[in-house]
Amino acid sequence: MRAVYKLDVKDRKILDLLIKDARQPVSSIAKKVRLSRDGVAYRIKRLIDKKVILGFSPFSDYQRFG
């Protein structure tokens, strides 16, 4: 049985920003979420450890290539 992990508003915002662009710097995410850089890095590491984030994969939008 899997444990349920509760996400607060800041964690959801961080996940949303990572879904849009996983390559953006932690400092950029920190400004948008209004947390410190270290706080965002800690939350991302915690989400990885809790298996909420399983990996970072690039996805291509082939329509943009023409």
Side-chain angles (χ1 to χ4, degrees), residues 26-58:
V26 175
S27 58
S28 172
I29 296 172
K31 286 180 186 178
K32 294 173 185 172
V33 179
R34 293 183 175 210
L35 285 175
S36 69
R37 184 190 161 288
D38 291 334
V40 171
Y42 171 77
R43 284 176 180 255
I44 292 172
K45 183 180 180 323
R46 192 180 73 213
L47 291 170
I48 293 169
D49 291 342
K50 296 289 185 180
K51 306 271 191 253
V52 175
I53 298 175
L54 299 176
F56 299 91
S57 299

Side-chain angles (χ1 to χ4, degrees), residues 6-22:
K6 298 275 185 172
L7 297 175
D8 65 357
V9 176
K10 300 283 185 180
D11 286 339
R12 289 177 196 234
K13 182 80 174 176
I14 291 169
L15 282 174
D16 183 51
L17 291 168
L18 287 173
I19 287 169
K20 290 178 182 172
D21 182 13

